[in-house]
Amino acid sequence: MRIGVFGGTFDPPHLGHLVVASDACGALGLDRVLWIPSAVPPHKVNTVQAPAGARLEMVRAAIQGDPRFEADDLELRRPGPSYTVDTLRELAHRHSGAELVLLIGADNLREIPGWREPGEILRLARVAVLSRDGAGVPPDAPVPAVAVEVTRVDVSATEVRRRAAAGETIRYLVPDAVRALVERRGLYRELPRL
Ligand code: ATP
């Protein structure tokens, strides 16, 4: 069993996330991808807007009907900041014998040595870099990684929030079920004051 670990704020989840998770599944032969909404990381405290429960609900709505995808709220249940190493430890315990593959954006690869217990992270999981420009893994990458070529879909959650706040449609940028939740819960009506 090979399991992809896909973390993010998912504020909200959008088509870019779905495409990369799907591409990674195919390219890496993953049996499953766990979508793990993060508790608000300190550097995003001014930009993450939807409450944790709403982000989890939106992830569930976004992936509904795709048997390869599963939402996991383990980082939301844990108090305090979430460290990747703790998440991987818990997943390794829960899915013993499975091979874990950490899916990360290309910009995050350079940050791994600064994360808590990077050696342990690399012992618990393989690292797969989601590459949108065919660049692959840079020769001076600080940790061993494989590159996954993913379809370029230039949607960001920031742009979805901006549109919602401006009263513009978010149709076709997020799944319909996510759009319905954004409307029903009145999310992203205002941009945060910085
Ligand atoms: P924000 O705009 O709020 O910063 P985001 O759209 O980048 O959010 P996150 O939830 O922070 O979304 O992203 C989770 C993961 O998905 C990250 O690894 C990020 O690099 C990746 N990702 C986000 N958008 C895309 C996209 N359009 N194509 C490929 N990967 C993406």
Side-chain angles (χ1 to χ4, degrees):
M1 169 78 87
R2 192 177 278 178
I3 300 176
V5 179
F6 188 36
T9 45
F10 302 125
D11 186 32
H14 54 67
L15 294 191
H17 297 131
L18 286 157
V19 166
V20 297
S22 178
D23 283 351
C25 236
L28 297 168
L30 304 176
D31 298 288
R32 221 189 298 171
V33 173
L34 301 180
W35 292 54
I36 305 182
S38 54
V40 176
H43 65 281
K44 281 197 157 184
V45 106
N46 287 320
T47 51
V48 174
Q49 286 184 52
R55 291 187 287 117
L56 178 65
E57 195 182 6
M58 290 191 287
V59 167
R60 289 200 169 121
I63 66 180
Q64 202 200 355
D66 191 327
R68 302 170 301 171
F69 297 159
E70 204 177 291
D72 196 314
D73 64 352
L74 85 170
E75 291 196 358
L76 300 180
R77 280 188 278 106
R78 198 190 293 143
S82 285
Y83 294 103
T84 300
V85 70
D86 295 331
T87 298
L88 293 175
R89 272 203 194 101
E90 190 170 333
L91 292 175
H93 180 72
R94 232 197 275 161
H95 305 277
S96 68
E99 190 184 343
L100 300 177
V101 183
L102 185 63
L103 307 176
I104 60 163
D107 32 334
N108 285 335
L109 186 62
R110 300 207 176 278
E111 293 168 12
I112 294 183
W115 293 358
R116 181 178 279 203
E117 297 184 59
E120 185 68 359
I121 290 176
L122 299 175
R123 196 186 67 73
L124 290 163
R126 286 169 55 208
V127 175
V129 181
L130 308 168
S131 164
R132 280 184 266 179
D133 51 9
V137 180
D140 58 347
V143 298
V146 291
V148 192
E149 201 48 52
V150 293
T151 311
R152 178 181 273 278
V153 178
D154 273 333
V155 181
S156 70
T158 304
E159 171 64 6
V160 175
R161 292 193 301 271
R162 187 202 63 74
R163 281 181 178 234
E168 296 168 22
T169 185
I170 58 171
R171 194 169 197 173
Y172 308 125
L173 300 182
V174 300
D176 284 342
V178 171
R179 184 165 55 101
L181 281 171
V182 169
E183 282 167 13
R184 180 158 7 113
R185 282 176 167 260
L187 300 171
Y188 314 123
R189 290 224 171 121
E190 282 174 39
L191 287 172
R193 244 171 271 149
L194 294 177

